Amino acid sequence: MSLTAFYALAAFVLVFAILAVTTASMVRAALSLAITFFLIAGLYLLLGSPALAAIQFMVNASAIPIMTLFIIMMTQSRTSAGPRSWQIVAGLLAAAAALVFFKGNVGHGDGQITPVSPETLGVNLLQAALLPFEVASVLLLLAMVGAIVLARRRAG
């Protein structure tokens, strides 16, 4: 893995993630989010996990931004008010807390990563993480139904 390529991709991930949160145009925010997810899939490829990169690309980089664009178009909300000052402060505090947490918890292993086959990954995800997957799918369904209800109320 090229360390330079990893840091370059990570920098682009940060730039597009910040754009996704701070831009006033909802369509541009959704596009920035899609690019962020796509770049994260590239990070997974650089880290030697093509199965996780494929899942990231199929689910996060394609399905979630498309659904977000449908919601934006159905609700006719094209712009946002932008972040408030307390939201910026809260975001900076959360970032600082995450840095402190990761600084204290990362790097305590032997540095070896054991490769996992896609079959083992699928079995683990469908056994250990089945409930979170189902909860996420229900929440996404509820978000779509809510967007449709809001769009119909405004139209009628």
Side-chain angles (χ1 to χ4, degrees):
M1 172 183 72
S2 170
L3 199 57
T4 306
F6 179 81
Y7 284 133
L9 271 179
F12 281 122
V13 165
L14 288 175
V15 166
F16 282 104
I18 290 170
L19 279 174
V21 175
T22 59
T23 187
S25 170
M26 296 297 282
V27 175
R28 287 184 182 162
L31 181 62
S32 297
L33 183 67
I35 293 170
T36 302
F37 287 150
F38 183 73
L39 291 171
I40 290 172
L43 286 175
Y44 289 146
L45 279 175
L46 281 178
L47 292 172
S49 181
L52 194 55
I55 292 169
Q56 171 76 14
F57 179 74
M58 287 186 294
V59 175
N60 291 340
S62 53
I64 291 176
I66 288 171
M67 186 185 68
T68 305
L69 286 173
F70 278 135
I71 292 170
I72 290 169
M73 290 177 192
M74 285 182 176
T75 59
Q76 302 294 320
S77 57
R78 301 276 193 253
T79 60
S80 68
R84 296 185 178 99
S85 60
W86 68 270
Q87 291 171 329
I88 294 172
V89 171
L92 290 174
L93 287 175
L99 282 174
V100 169
F101 174 76
F102 287 127
K103 188 74 169 169
N105 291 327
V106 173
H108 293 295
D110 58 358
Q112 298 296 320
I113 299 173
T114 54
V116 177
S117 70
E119 179 183 355
T120 306
L121 178 66
V123 168
N124 288 338
L125 285 176
L126 291 177
Q127 287 179 352
L130 182 62
L131 182 63
F133 273 155
E134 292 302 320
V135 168
S137 66
V138 169
L139 285 175
L140 290 172
L141 177 66
L142 289 174
M144 278 300 280
V145 170
I148 292 169
V149 167
L150 287 174
R152 288 196 176 185
R153 280 189 192 162
R154 287 185 184 171

